[in-house]
Amino acid sequence: MKRLALLLALTLLAPSAFARDSFKVAWSIYVGWMPWGYAADHGIVKKWADKYGIDIEVVQINDYIESINQYTAGAFDACVMTNMDGLTIPAAGGVDSTALIVGDFSNGNDGVVLKGKKNLKSIAGQKVNLVELSVSHYLLARGLDSVGLKESDLTVVNTSDADMVAAYATPDVTAVVTWNPLLSEILSMPDSHKVFDSSQIPGEIIDLLVINTETLAANPKLGKALTGAWYETMALMSGKDKAGIAARTAMGEASGTDLAGYEAQLASTKMFYQAKDAVAFTNSAALKTTMKAVAEFSFDHGLLGEGAPDAGFIGVETPSGIYGNADNVKLRFDPAYMQMAADGKL
Amino acid sequence: MKRLVNLSPSRPWALLLGLIPLALVLALYLAGSDARLTENPNDKLLPSLEQMSSALDRMALQPSKRSGEYLFWTDTAASLQRLGLGIGIAAIIGLLIGLLTGALPAVNVALSPLLTVFSLVPPLALLPILFIVFGLDELSKVVLIVIGVAPFIARDLQKHTLEMPREQLVKAQTLGANSMQILFRVLLPQIMPRLIDAVRLSLGTGWLFLIAAEAIAATDGLGYRIFLVRRYLSMDVIIPYVAWITLLAFLLDMALAWLSRRLYPWHHKGAAS
């Protein structure tokens, strides 16, 4: 009966494109998304929502993938996710989505760690533990490209992120790919060497706030309020003053570490504190190249769905042009709202 | 006027009444799926029957593009092997402990507290420890099933052994049987059908632990596949897999029931009459 009720609920939850005044946004714990929790807890989101006369509920979901699945199912209007998951989950599921805010990219936050070996080449023939089909998997594929290896040269073992650190502590796990804070935890163990990390593919693992395109078109107020709240939080947390330190401490504590731990994670994350930097990044031609690489990886791993004849099956719109099928654009990078923030027009 | 409590439907009616709720659930699902697919033909949440059958066709009847394996069958084989090993070992351990503690008071006194404590430990909470001790490979998955299931079987058999009529043991002893003979000729044969019953009851738990272990670290298996494709919301694969697991569980249960009737017809005589 419970399942039936759930099915009914999910059926009824289909996103509606009509203008509304109450919205739900999902986020999960990650260095680049902690500002959402802070903005929600400290009234910043409410302040901006009030300014535009709407109501925004910010919900923290403990399971990252579940939050994206819920967004795709229509239970949320917007959700934080990486560019790759944005392409392979909502966009591949036919939910037209827009990257409203480009928050940061991973600049060393994701890495490949080998036990007892110091270069990436020696990963050949090993079992590699990682969350299969995640950005870790993508990072590994990019790393293997760089040393002329293929995925068939090793065995990928799907391992839950919750158990990654415990798994690495066992003797038969010799290679892992993971993200922070797990990465720094694993690197602190003896004889562990980071042989490849996301700073070697800068700008390819991007953390976004993704919003349903139809909802955004019908409710530009929602886009404005969210963008406004985000850049106010950015200005606050990037400050060197007391308020900035307090904000970073709160975010660190909320993610289970402290100020020093959180700042260490920020150091390997390229945050776009200034809206103009995010706009410049979104406008660059490199974004389209990145999305091409991501789409090709996703297609090779069957993530675009069985109906996809090629990597360009799902179109990705970027300011420098559309990658792939222009008739089937499902993921859009739209700098318009970030531009408004940069121009101070919010 | 016949009272409602005395109204028991005849066989065709019983069948029909039993099918109605199932059909209703199916119809509700299809309606929901249809509604979502009309709105968004790429919707992945409630796939149609055609989408599921094409996913199943792809998984079961065509070799995978990446490895050339028939994923559905390799997953099934891997999972059944783990489950079979786990339940098999648990049954042997459970039988030994149950029989010995039930039959020999000295062993009972020595092992019962340990057995009780062990059966109270939630096995899933032990998982991180199992992974560290036994590694991430097959061993820890099988051990999880054994730890999860063996105490239940042992306690069930212990109870049944203790419930054996005292007169039987006395009679066997008057006829000159020694402890060994009583154990293996009197108690063991009577406990065997109970063992099959206990295994049937613990299969559900076995599946639970199997899927939990596969979700955490694996390269194949039914649970592995479900948790992997969940990453891109591939309900067209998940739903057929869940149905397949249900069918497998049902078939295993039927097979054990048949085996029990075949090997120990006397055990079922009382129940049938």
Side-chain angles (χ1 to χ4, degrees):
Chain A
M1 248 353 248
K2 233 181 189 172
R3 185 169 296 171
L4 188 66
L6 185 76
L7 278 178
L8 276 176
L10 289 173
T11 323
L12 297 172
L13 279 171
S16 108
F18 302 112
R20 287 177 286 152
D21 54 7
S22 122
F23 303 92
K24 285 175 87 180
V25 178
W27 73 284
S28 47
I29 288 194
Y30 177 70
V31 49
W33 295 323
M34 295 316 293
W36 282 117
Y38 184 85
D41 291 347
H42 291 75
I44 301 174
V45 172
K46 183 165 182 353
K47 185 183 120 190
W48 282 88
D50 288 348
K51 180 176 174 182
Y52 288 99
I54 55 173
D55 198 34
I56 302 176
E57 191 188 342
V58 178
V59 183
Q60 186 199 329
I61 310 271
N62 277 330
D63 185 320
Y64 167 65
I65 287 298
E66 192 51 39
S67 70
I68 306 178
N69 286 349
Q70 290 288 327
Y71 161 78
T72 309
F76 289 97
D77 301 294
C79 179
V80 296
M81 64 190 80
T82 66
N83 53 334
M84 180 176 141
D85 294 320
L87 176 67
T88 58
I89 307 176
V95 177
D96 195 328
S97 297
T98 299
L100 180 70
I101 299 171
V102 176
D104 68 90
F105 64 76
S106 168
N107 197 21
N109 244 334
D110 299 76
V112 182
V113 181
L114 294 186
K115 208 183 265 177
K117 301 273 172 51
K118 285 185 181 155
N119 66 68
L120 182 57
K121 268 210 151 120
S122 44
I123 203 170
Q126 299 204 35
K127 276 195 205 164
V128 185
N129 292 72
L130 50 82
V131 179
E132 219 173 321
L133 309 179
S134 70
V135 288
S136 296
H137 203 161
Y138 174 74
L139 177 76
L140 176 68
R142 295 285 285 134
L144 293 176
D145 279 349
S146 72
V147 291
L149 288 171
K150 288 189 305 293
E151 222 186 294
S152 50
D153 295 328
L154 43 82
T155 311
V156 168
V157 181
N158 186 37
T159 308
S160 143
D161 52 336
D163 296 279
M164 198 61 83
V165 178
Y168 187 76
T170 66
D172 52 339
V173 172
T174 53
V176 299
V177 188
T178 188
W179 53 80
N180 265 328
L182 313 172
L183 181 64
S184 52
E185 187 85 14
I186 284 172
L187 279 172
S188 69
M189 295 189 197
D191 207 21
S192 306
H193 306 281
K194 186 159 77 176
V195 293
F196 191 79
D197 71 29
S198 52
S199 66
Q200 283 153 276
I201 52 163
E204 291 196 23
I205 299 175
I206 313 167
D207 300 314
L208 312 164
L209 177 73
V210 168
I211 188 166
N212 186 298
T213 305
E214 284 177 30
T215 308
L216 181 64
N219 306 279
K221 282 174 177 179
L222 174 63
K224 289 180 185 170
L226 287 170
T227 315
W230 176 257
Y231 285 107
E232 181 178 332
T233 317
M234 286 296 107
L236 183 68
M237 77 177 285
S238 59
K240 297 211 166 23
D241 54 349
K242 251 192 189 148
I245 293 174
R248 290 196 297 276
T249 310
M251 291 178 201
E253 279 165 2
S255 60
T257 171
D258 53 12
L259 180 62
Y262 188 62
E263 285 183 337
Q265 292 178 33
L266 280 176
S268 49
T269 310
K270 171 73 185 113
M271 293 293 296
F272 293 119
Y273 291 120
Q274 306 283 337
K276 64 176 170 39
D277 296 340
V279 172
F281 178 81
T282 311
N283 281 331
S284 72
L287 180 64
K288 195 178 149 192
T289 320
T290 296
M291 288 318 293
K292 176 174 182 282
V294 170
E296 280 166 359
F297 169 85
S298 306
F299 175 70
D300 285 345
H301 291 81
L303 300 183
L304 298 184
E306 220 32 51
D310 59 66
F313 173 64
I314 294 167
V316 180
E317 186 184 287
T318 71
S320 57
I322 293 174
Y323 165 74
N325 185 354
D327 296 329
N328 189 29
V329 173
K330 292 291 177 197
L331 182 63
R332 301 160 199 272
F333 286 86
D334 179 5
Y337 288 85
M338 295 184 285
Q339 186 68 54
M340 286 180 215
D343 298 342
K345 286 185 182 155
L346 288 175
Chain B
M1 168 107 182
K2 212 170 181 184
R3 288 184 180 84
L4 206 54
V5 283
N6 295 323
L7 202 70
S8 75
S10 60
R11 199 153 164 83
W13 274 108
L15 198 70
L16 193 68
L17 285 174
L19 281 177
I20 287 176
L22 286 174
L24 213 61
V25 170
L26 190 69
L28 261 176
Y29 176 84
L30 289 178
S33 157
D34 205 46
R36 281 191 75 96
L37 286 170
T38 336
E39 197 179 315
N40 169 12
N42 286 324
D43 182 64
K44 287 179 159 183
L45 199 68
L46 304 180
S48 66
L49 290 181
E50 295 90 71
Q51 282 169 320
M52 285 193 260
S53 74
S54 90
L56 200 58
D57 172 71
R58 190 171 81 234
M59 302 296 289
L61 303 176
Q62 283 160 32
S64 141
K65 267 186 257 171
R66 285 172 67 201
S67 61
E69 286 171 333
Y70 294 86
L71 295 176
F72 183 78
W73 302 111
T74 47
D75 286 341
T76 306
S79 284
L80 284 182
Q81 190 191 358
R82 288 170 193 142
L83 186 72
L85 270 175
I87 296 276
I89 296 170
I92 294 169
I93 295 177
L95 176 65
L96 278 177
I97 296 181
L99 185 63
L100 290 179
T101 53
L104 308 173
V107 181
N108 193 7
V109 176
L111 285 186
S112 264
L114 181 73
L115 186 61
T116 312
V117 169
F118 230 74
S119 66
L120 290 175
V121 176
L124 283 181
L126 281 179
L127 247 187
I129 306 178
L130 293 184
F131 279 140
I132 292 168
V133 177
F134 297 108
L136 285 175
D137 292 335
E138 298 302 296
L139 186 60
S140 56
K141 298 184 186 71
V142 173
V143 171
L144 178 71
I145 298 175
V146 172
I147 291 184
V149 168
F152 166 77
I153 297 181
R155 290 182 85 183
D156 191 58
L157 295 187
Q158 177 190 38
K159 188 168 148 275
H160 284 299
T161 314
L162 287 170
E163 278 169 0
M164 292 279 175
R166 195 75 208 143
E167 294 83 350
Q168 274 190 16
L169 304 188
V170 174
K171 193 171 256 175
Q173 286 174 63
T174 11
L175 290 171
N178 61 29
S179 294
M180 272 299 154
Q181 283 168 325
I182 291 177
L183 263 181
F184 289 106
R185 304 290 296 277
V186 180
L187 294 175
L188 185 64
Q190 298 192 70
I191 269 308
M192 283 309 285
R194 298 287 183 186
L195 175 67
I196 294 182
D197 283 348
V199 167
R200 281 177 66 189
L201 285 175
S202 58
L203 268 178
T205 326
W207 278 105
L208 170 74
F209 293 133
L210 172 74
I211 288 167
E214 287 181 340
I216 286 175
T219 52
D220 51 13
L222 296 167
Y224 159 82
R225 192 69 54 196
I226 288 178
F227 278 81
L228 182 68
V229 301
R230 160 180 177 265
R231 248 205 112 78
Y232 49 105
L233 207 64
S234 218
M235 293 293 272
D236 54 341
V237 175
I238 296 179
I239 296 175
Y241 262 65
V242 173
W244 174 239
I245 292 176
T246 314
L247 180 67
L248 282 177
F250 176 73
L251 290 178
L252 277 176
D253 191 64
M254 292 278 281
L256 284 169
W258 175 83
L259 193 72
S260 180
R261 274 197 308 274
R262 183 77 207 252
L263 292 177
Y264 311 104
W266 48 265
H267 178 69
H268 299 271
K269 270 196 184 130
S273 63

